[in-house]
Amino acid sequence: MAYEVISRQAAGMWGAAGQWEFDILQGLQGIHGPWLDRMMTFITGLADHGELWLLLGVLFLCFSKTRRLGATVLLAAGLGFVTGNLILKNLFARSRPCWLMPQIPLLIPVPMDYSFPSGHTLVSFEGAFSVWRHNRRWGIVALAAAAAIAFSRMYLFVHFPTDILGGMVLGIVNGWAAEKLVSRLTDDKTLQSGEAKEKRQEKKS
């Protein structure tokens, strides 16, 4: 039976994978090797629960020059958890490729949540886009890391290419929304602090 038919039966009308997606994943199976397997397993582990990006967000919060960036990264990750993990994954209820083709050996434990969008890709592009908006040089490194994490999910046969694309797009949207929200909140707070300071000076005079 064609992969496309299997996918449609398993995933239903929401996000059923096309044959081309299986072709890409099968092609990636052909480049596996011991050193690349170890590298991809390590890379994907950096974002198993968003650890890399959450730690960066907390680190940025520790310095005044990057405090707004830290708040943006953490807020974007929170938005991603709600929009991606809680809403879209359950709405589309898309089967993972490793569920549809269990005969493909996996290098990591079989994920138990739905496939669309890729959570690893989502949190990575939320963080990387936020960093890129703050500092282009840092952002290039962050985006390269995010791309490597996204690629690892296909290499490891746990996500379809459109899961990755969905995670990238939603990650950028959430990163942009978080930046705007943090800017609005911090600007309002700065304005309020300035007004309070002016009132105190008026009272003294």
Side-chain angles (χ1 to χ4, degrees):
M1 185 181 294
Y3 302 141
E4 184 177 7
V5 176
I6 296 174
S7 178
R8 285 176 179 165
Q9 290 178 345
M13 64 179 294
W14 292 110
Q19 179 68 42
W20 65 274
E21 297 204 77
F22 282 106
D23 291 341
I24 290 175
L25 296 183
Q26 289 287 79
L28 292 177
Q29 289 297 301
I31 67 171
H32 274 243
W35 69 271
L36 196 54
D37 287 351
R38 289 193 293 270
M39 180 183 295
M40 290 295 109
T41 302
F42 170 77
I43 288 174
T44 211
L46 295 174
D48 274 346
H49 299 96
E51 291 95 335
L52 172 62
W53 308 103
L54 294 176
L55 286 173
L56 280 177
V58 172
L59 179 63
F60 289 141
L61 280 177
C62 296
F63 303 94
S64 59
K65 291 184 177 180
T66 57
R67 192 159 293 149
R68 182 179 293 195
L69 171 59
T72 301
V73 171
L74 295 177
L75 178 58
L79 290 174
F81 178 75
V82 174
T83 58
N85 292 68
L86 297 184
I87 297 177
L88 291 182
K89 278 184 180 287
N90 292 300
L91 176 64
F92 283 88
R94 187 186 201 186
S95 299
R96 290 177 180 266
C98 55
W99 298 356
L100 302 174
M101 298 182 65
Q103 69 273 24
I104 301 295
L106 293 188
L107 300 172
I108 59 175
V110 177
M112 301 308 295
D113 59 334
Y114 291 117
S115 194
F116 182 87
S118 165
H120 283 64
T121 304
L122 175 57
V123 70
S124 296
F125 273 86
E126 286 164 347
F129 179 75
S130 299
V131 173
W132 183 80
R133 291 281 293 175
H134 177 81
N135 184 296
R136 293 295 189 266
R137 187 173 298 176
W138 296 359
I140 292 174
V141 176
L143 287 169
I149 290 170
F151 176 79
S152 74
R153 304 307 285 169
M154 293 187 293
Y155 180 92
L156 295 170
F157 208 75
V158 293
H159 276 296
F160 292 108
T162 47
D163 298 333
I164 303 303
L165 180 60
M168 291 172 61
V169 172
L170 184 58
I172 291 172
V173 170
N174 284 343
W176 177 85
E179 178 188 4
K180 295 302 180 183
L181 183 56
V182 169
S183 295
R184 177 67 180 272
L185 292 175
T186 53
D187 288 345
D188 286 348
K189 185 176 180 181
T190 300
L191 179 61
Q192 292 172 4
S193 298
E195 291 176 345
K197 184 176 181 181
E198 289 178 358
K199 289 182 180 179
R200 288 195 298 267
Q201 291 176 343
E202 290 177 356
K203 289 180 179 179
K204 290 180 180 179
S205 61

